[in-house]
Amino acid sequence: MSNKQPQIIILLGRSGCGKGTQAKLLMKEFSSDYLGSGALLRERSKQSDFTGKKLKQVMDKGDLVPTPVMFRLWADKIAKMREKVGKKGLIIDGSPRSLLEAKLMNSAFKWYEWDNVKVILLDISEQEAFSRLTNRRICKDCGRLIPWVGEFKDLKKCDKCGGELETRFDDKPEAIQARLDYYKKDVQPAVDYYEEQGRLIKVDGGQSIDNVYKEIIQCLLQ
Ligand SMILES: [Zn+2]
């Protein structure tokens, strides 16, 4: 982390791999800013112009927002962040979703003179992802989402408020499978691209949250 350039970390992995959790931990560790595509889209969809309304429609259906629209929002945000991030780092979650987006992001970072980009793949198998997404639970009282991983599997009550836990399918199994198929078809080529560039850090996402985190930190400090 002693580089003059801010550390940019792109988190990749199948749904359920723990990207969001690790992003939060990394933000704390490095006082980084967060750039999540989901949050960008939700924010933009609150405006009542054509783009905002259409985004809301598409997201409500669970469809993907096409690259030109997504990338425009993303690039505008990067331009703004370029002004203020300074030496602070940036954690990127939810992009790229394809080889095309990975290439676009690459050239954007080059243009903004942000070269210190590392890509972390939280590697879990398709089977593990499916099991995590269908078994995770939610607290009836505070709404906390309890991941189906490591020591959390043994929780009987909410670890924050003591509330009762229930299994809740956010998505139907077919919808989960569709996301995993999408990963295989579109995201995997982006992962391969980063690997060819020597930027990819592969971490076994099947470990406990703590151990995944420790391994990420180790790899980043190398
Ligand atoms: Zn709770």
Side-chain angles (χ1 to χ4, degrees):
M1 296 291 143
S2 56
N3 269 339
K4 271 187 228 141
Q5 295 245 13
Q7 175 74 69
I8 296 178
I9 300 171
I10 299 174
L11 288 167
L12 288 176
R14 291 188 168 86
S15 300
C17 72
K19 285 194 293 278
T21 305
Q22 296 297 333
K24 275 185 207 143
L25 293 170
L26 288 166
M27 280 167 69
K28 229 191 239 169
E29 176 87 26
F30 300 117
S31 327
S32 301
D33 274 318
Y34 174 77
L35 176 49
S37 305
L40 269 184
L41 289 171
R42 278 191 295 278
E43 194 186 308
R44 184 62 180 82
S45 70
K46 284 177 192 155
Q47 293 181 38
S48 58
D49 58 352
F50 179 87
T51 305
K53 283 182 199 156
K54 179 121 188 193
L55 279 177
K56 193 171 178 319
Q57 253 175 36
V58 166
M59 285 157 59
D60 284 348
K61 272 199 276 178
D63 289 344
L64 283 173
V65 174
T67 293
V69 179
M70 182 69 244
F71 200 75
R72 165 117 198 250
L73 295 179
W74 190 90
D76 280 350
K77 187 74 177 180
I78 284 286
K80 271 187 207 144
M81 284 185 145
R82 188 66 182 83
E83 297 302 319
K84 68 175 184 107
V85 168
K87 286 188 173 18
K88 270 168 65 176
L90 189 57
I91 311 284
I92 296 180
D93 179 12
S95 288
R97 304 166 306 172
S98 65
L99 179 58
L100 172 62
E101 291 189 4
K103 287 183 172 173
L104 288 170
M105 282 169 70
N106 229 16
S107 46
F109 282 132
K110 231 179 243 165
W111 199 83
Y112 284 111
E113 298 173 22
W114 267 348
D115 300 321
N116 195 12
V117 180
K118 284 191 174 146
V119 183
I120 294 170
L121 172 68
L122 301 180
D123 205 13
I124 58 171
S125 69
E126 201 175 300
Q127 206 182 3
E128 171 74 12
F130 194 84
S131 150
R132 285 185 183 190
L133 293 169
T134 48
N135 286 310
R136 60 185 178 183
R137 296 170 296 167
I138 192 163
C139 169
K140 278 181 174 175
D141 292 336
C142 73
R144 175 169 155 76
L145 194 60
I146 312 284
W148 188 250
V149 49
E151 66 277 20
F152 290 103
K153 289 183 183 176
D154 300 327
L155 281 184
K156 301 275 186 279
K157 300 257 166 183
C158 175
D159 57 341
K160 287 278 142 70
C161 78
E164 214 178 305
L165 301 178
E166 62 179 354
T167 310
R168 199 192 68 182
F169 293 101
D170 277 346
D171 301 301
K172 296 190 178 111
E174 308 88 76
I176 292 173
Q177 191 56 50
R179 265 147 76 196
L180 294 173
D181 290 346
Y182 176 81
Y183 182 91
K184 204 188 291 172
K185 183 172 138 289
D186 287 298
V187 186
Q188 187 62 48
V191 173
D192 297 342
Y193 169 71
Y194 288 126
E195 189 156 35
E196 279 160 29
Q197 291 187 326
R199 283 186 203 265
L200 190 73
I201 297 168
K202 236 187 242 182
V203 172
D204 174 8
Q207 314 172 77
S208 70
I209 291 172
D210 279 354
N211 286 342
V212 170
Y213 182 63
K214 274 182 207 147
E215 202 177 319
I216 292 176
I217 296 295
Q218 244 172 25
C219 293
L220 284 175
L221 296 179
Q222 259 168 25

